[in-house]
Amino acid sequence: MVKAKPVCALDDIPLLDGNVGEAALELKIDNKKVFVLAIRQGDDVFLYKNSCPHIGTPLDFNPGRFLNPDNTHILCATHGALFEIANGNCIYGPCEGKNLETIPCRVEGGQVWLG
Ligand code: FES
């Protein structure tokens, strides 16, 4: 039996201004490497595949940087689409109405777990 491992510790996603944090992660899901963006809001964490629903490019404008200057939304570096942190819905830009691909996760014991 393989023991499940956490994705990361909550503290691996340090909080910035506005009580949010961001991190780039590389996960193995179903034996495939998946590049993921992690956004923390307080003690909640949201994971999304790092691929814009517009044309599929990574969202980060610098490695591991995903949030807009006000830290209120996820920003796509390629054409400036804005996504809601808590559900990945695009509210502005060429893919308005589309969603980032959610990777379900939960926080338990100060660790982030898939599922
Ligand atoms: S690739 Fe993200 S808005 Fe165009």
Side-chain angles (χ1 to χ4, degrees):
M1 183 173 142
V2 180
K3 198 171 172 198
K5 286 197 289 190
V7 168
C8 66
L10 188 60
D11 289 343
D12 291 337
I13 314 170
L15 291 174
L16 311 164
D17 288 346
N19 203 32
V20 295
E22 59 189 343
L25 304 171
E26 191 180 310
L27 305 183
K28 206 165 192 182
I29 300 175
D30 296 334
N31 270 331
K32 286 189 198 142
K33 193 190 290 188
V34 181
F35 294 99
V36 170
L37 63 105
I39 304 295
R40 175 178 173 186
Q41 258 184 334
D43 286 340
D44 294 325
V45 172
F46 305 94
L47 300 181
Y48 300 105
K49 192 171 170 190
N50 188 8
S51 174
C52 182
H54 182 210
I55 58 171
T57 57
L59 286 92
D60 27 351
F61 49 94
N62 280 320
R65 298 299 316 274
F66 300 98
L67 293 165
N68 66 340
D70 293 339
N71 293 335
T72 56
H73 290 83
I74 299 162
L75 171 68
C76 177
T78 306
H79 304 114
L82 289 174
F83 302 86
E84 293 184 316
I85 290 172
N87 60 23
N89 184 41
C90 179
I91 54 142
Y92 171 83
C95 45
E96 189 172 337
K98 293 188 178 172
N99 263 75
L100 297 173
E101 187 176 326
T102 301
I103 298 173
C105 69
R106 65 190 190 284
V107 177
E108 281 177 18
Q111 306 284 325
V112 182
W113 304 84
L114 292 180

